[in-house]
Amino acid sequence: MQDNNKKRIYADNAATMPVLPEVVEAMLPVFYDNWGNPSSLHEEGQRAGRALEAARTTAAGVLGCRPEELYFTSCGTESDNWAIKGAAYAARNKKNKIITSKIEHHAVLSTCEALEKDGFEVKYIGVDKGGLIDLDELRQQVDDKTALVAVIMANNEIGTIQPISEVAEIAHGAGALCFTDAVQAVGSIPVDLSKLGVDMLSLSGHKFGAPKGIGALYIKKGVRIRNLLEGGGHERGRRSGTENLPYIVGLARALEIARERMGDMKRVAALRDRLIEGLLAIPHSCLNGHPTERLPGNVNVSFEYVEGEGMVLWLDKMGISASTGSACSSKSLDPSHVLLAIGLPVELAHGSLRFSLSHANTEEDIEYIIAATREVVEKLRKMSPIYPGYEAIPPIPTER
Amino acid sequence: MVYSEKVMDHFMNPRNVGEIPDADGVGMVGNAKCGDIMQMFIKVSDKGIIEDVKFKTFGCGAAIATSSMATELVKGKTIEEALKLTNAAVVEALEGLPPVKIHCSVLAEEAIKAAITDYYKRRGIEMNFAPSEHSCCERDCERRKN
């Protein structure tokens, strides 16, 4: 099986996705024929300006907000930084507290840590075994000193989907703003800003078929935050930097396609469930994250007695792209903070494997991933000094 | 992070994997919390030559590759020669390791020394080799905890 290198199965869509051909098609004419600066008064500039606002209107339509509430940025990390620092510094001297969760993406966690160093008080709310935020703890923590509550809509590692509307209600009850990092959610689950109730939301194009290097921040009308980038006053004076029009057009097109294909996410969720079932048939394994409140493409399973990086390297050799929360795959040598926050013992965090599926995956892919993972786990366990003894993995369960 | 071809070769096709049931020395270093455990078995001849060596490792690609390379480097050597094995020699033989993985080579050196210590202990000889100057994984873990 390990010689099968011809066909690759990409199952790391939470890291990034290929740019959709339809998106490239929408972008190319912009590079060739609409390269003007939208700020210019002449014909080239005006044409670019019209395309920019058309893209904004399209994107806002998909997200359920007004075009003037959507600001294009360079990436999800910029959007997260802007929302959190912008809200914190706008409230400084009046409100000094920020509340977030223990399972945020580093773009949020590191931003909060930077604010702590600058004198802000930050509270990190815990999560349960499935990764759901403790709403009671949140209720206890919010007060009239709280400037912002920032909670990730869907976690990038374990895929847990948070009750963001409830989080927003609790924040607003105390007079705080609510921001959600929806980088993993947008494109995978329906996101309707007209009903969600948050004040700010970040998204990133390359997680749903647009290129890397384009993101957006939704800022509800009337919400004032500090600017992150000062300059020529682009994006209605709030985010300077000449607009990346081809990528903005690509982002809008990718959002439209994601909406069109949202129905197909049921099929992706069925693939996810089959993969989870197949992997949990391997002895000494467990599912990380929530059994139901979970992104349709996310699978995160830990295997005892083996280490994640070894599994990822072997799977790669067998044509499968996956990832792990093991320390050995990170720069820090610490295992994933998300896996530790859901109470997973460190040993099991080292043995985690994440597959993130997309529309492009098929049932055959899933069966191959299951068979390959069984082989890899068995191979690595055989050379593991802590494996209590050779134990054959039972046969693959039959398909439902 | 990119592994050299040599590291990938020793990870995918590790040499000397397994156990020696009648080993003359067995050593185990690391712990599961750190994500690396190495176990070494040595068979030593009357003349003090390491005739056979086997390992079992729980850990990342670099942990498996360094274990494999360490066994290659000491096989057929005398105990005295094996004691001179350094982590730097393991890294060099593997044509380099990413900086965050250097601790794996330290662990491999320590695993060999732990097996030799056990061999001496079984023969009633107390042995004190100088601990490596590099921080080993366990010490890293302790430091992070504190």
Side-chain angles (χ1 to χ4, degrees):
Chain A
M1 184 181 273
Q2 63 231 47
D3 298 327
N4 190 343
N5 255 336
K6 284 165 200 151
K7 191 199 163 202
R8 289 206 55 92
I9 296 171
Y10 189 72
D12 199 16
N13 290 279
T16 193
M17 273 180 76
V19 180
L20 294 169
E22 299 93 325
V23 170
V24 176
E25 218 170 279
M27 287 169 61
L28 283 179
V30 187
F31 284 110
Y32 291 129
D33 305 323
N34 203 355
W35 41 262
N37 186 330
S39 300
S40 303
L41 283 176
H42 46 63
E43 171 61 22
E44 287 83 357
Q46 294 306 299
R47 277 184 58 214
R50 284 193 295 274
L52 172 64
E53 293 318 314
R56 196 189 310 280
T57 302
T58 301
V62 175
L63 295 166
C65 67
R66 303 177 200 202
E68 63 271 23
E69 292 175 314
L70 202 58
Y71 300 85
F72 295 113
T73 64
S74 64
C75 59
T77 296
E78 185 196 326
S79 298
D80 288 347
N81 269 265
W82 183 16
I84 296 165
K85 289 179 182 165
Y89 288 110
R92 191 164 215 179
N93 302 327
K94 299 186 288 284
K95 295 178 171 190
N96 202 38
K97 186 171 168 183
I98 291 150
I99 299 175
T100 188
S101 83
K102 287 184 178 169
I103 62 163
E104 297 299 309
H105 187 272
H106 285 294
V108 169
L109 277 187
S110 300
T111 302
C112 287
E113 284 160 16
L115 288 172
E116 273 185 285
K117 284 187 188 136
D118 203 20
F120 287 92
E121 181 193 1
V122 182
K123 290 284 176 209
Y124 301 88
I125 306 290
V127 295
D128 67 13
K129 205 167 154 263
L132 286 173
I133 186 167
D134 185 340
L135 292 175
D136 288 329
E137 193 187 345
L138 177 62
R139 280 187 199 97
Q140 284 160 18
Q141 281 294 343
V142 285
D143 55 20
D144 58 1
K145 288 284 167 206
T146 307
L148 178 72
V149 175
V151 174
I152 191 165
M153 183 178 283
N155 183 266
N156 49 309
E157 292 185 45
I158 54 173
T160 304
I161 301 167
Q162 304 294 341
I164 290 299
S165 292
E166 280 180 71
V167 170
E169 225 170 273
I170 294 167
H172 292 157
L177 292 175
C178 180
F179 161 67
T180 188
D181 170 348
V183 166
Q184 292 289 335
V186 171
S188 280
I189 55 173
V191 173
D192 184 354
L193 282 164
S194 71
K195 295 187 182 127
L196 197 61
V198 297
D199 302 289
M200 294 180 285
L201 174 144
S202 62
L203 60 94
S204 175
H206 76 107
K207 306 294 188 185
F208 52 89
K212 292 152 200 64
I214 185 70
L217 180 66
Y218 156 81
I219 309 174
K220 193 179 177 177
K221 195 171 179 232
V223 171
R224 304 307 303 174
I225 65 168
R226 284 279 189 88
N227 290 351
L228 192 65
L229 294 188
E230 303 290 356
H234 308 82
E235 296 291 278
R236 300 174 301 293
R238 298 181 83 168
R239 197 278 183 185
S240 289
T242 301
E243 300 86 347
N244 186 354
L245 188 58
Y247 282 41
I248 289 169
V249 167
L251 179 96
R253 185 76 192 103
L255 276 172
E256 279 186 311
I257 295 165
R259 178 175 60 186
E260 285 161 22
R261 294 183 182 170
M262 201 50 82
D264 191 38
M265 275 300 171
K266 282 201 186 76
R267 185 184 64 85
V268 177
L271 294 178
R272 169 199 68 190
D273 293 341
R274 166 66 191 144
L275 181 53
I276 291 173
E277 180 189 45
L279 296 178
L280 291 184
I282 298 172
H284 312 293
S285 61
C286 66
L287 177 68
N288 301 321
H290 203 277
T292 55
E293 298 303 306
R294 189 175 195 105
L295 283 175
N298 178 283
V299 174
N300 192 316
V301 173
S302 278
F303 300 96
E304 274 185 84
Y305 316 118
V306 286
E307 193 279 328
E309 190 202 275
M311 289 192 278
V312 168
L313 291 171
W314 263 113
L315 287 170
D316 182 46
K317 208 73 184 167
M318 294 160 96
I320 299 165
S321 312
S323 84
T324 173
S326 156
C328 289
S329 72
S330 74
K331 288 173 188 142
S332 66
L333 293 182
D334 290 321
S336 146
H337 65 283
V338 175
L339 296 178
L340 298 182
I342 60 171
L344 202 66
V346 182
E347 294 89 327
L348 278 172
H350 284 303
S352 74
L353 201 53
R354 180 191 73 180
F355 298 99
S356 40
L357 310 173
S358 81
H359 299 281
N361 292 116
T362 64
E363 286 179 21
E364 292 74 53
D365 289 353
I366 301 305
E367 297 312 316
Y368 180 72
I369 293 174
I370 293 169
T373 308
R374 295 163 63 87
E375 198 180 310
V376 167
V377 169
E378 196 156 24
K379 191 193 297 282
L380 290 172
R381 276 183 181 167
K382 270 188 193 165
M383 67 162 82
S384 172
I386 50 173
Y387 191 42
Y390 180 74
E391 208 174 325
I393 296 175
I396 301 177
T398 47
E399 271 185 81
R400 284 163 304 172
Chain B
M1 193 189 71
V2 181
Y3 283 135
S4 71
E5 269 180 42
K6 199 102 181 186
V7 172
M8 282 310 287
D9 176 37
H10 275 261
F11 166 65
M12 311 292 297
N13 312 293
R15 286 42 153 193
N16 307 310
V17 179
E19 298 180 12
I20 301 175
D22 58 339
D24 297 313
V26 182
M28 188 142 106
V29 294
N31 70 55
K33 284 197 168 160
C34 298
D36 307 279
I37 300 178
M38 292 182 192
Q39 191 176 25
M40 290 278 176
F41 303 81
I42 51 169
K43 188 83 192 148
V44 185
S45 75
D46 296 341
K47 289 177 182 164
I49 291 167
I50 298 175
E51 284 183 323
D52 198 10
V53 50
K54 294 243 188 276
F55 80 92
K56 277 190 149 187
T57 289
F58 160 84
C60 62
I64 290 168
T66 53
S67 312
S68 167
M69 182 53 85
T71 61
E72 289 258 283
L73 291 175
V74 300
K75 199 170 181 176
K77 300 276 166 64
T78 64
I79 288 286
E80 286 71 27
E81 284 169 329
L83 277 173
K84 286 180 193 150
L85 177 77
T86 63
N87 80 298
V90 175
V91 174
E92 200 189 322
L94 285 170
E95 289 164 9
L97 273 181
V100 294
K101 300 293 187 180
I102 294 295
H103 74 275
C104 293
S105 67
V106 176
L107 211 57
E109 174 194 326
E110 290 180 350
I112 295 285
K113 287 181 175 164
I116 294 173
T117 305
D118 182 54
Y119 161 77
Y120 275 127
K121 201 174 147 196
R122 290 185 194 198
R123 311 189 71 186
I125 305 166
E126 273 301 313
M127 207 198 85
N128 289 308
F129 59 80
S132 170
E133 282 175 27
H134 301 269
S135 58
C136 94
C137 176
E138 268 174 84
R139 287 195 285 275
D140 275 352
C141 275
E142 286 305 315
R143 207 163 48 222
R144 281 203 298 276
K145 248 184 281 167
N146 299 333

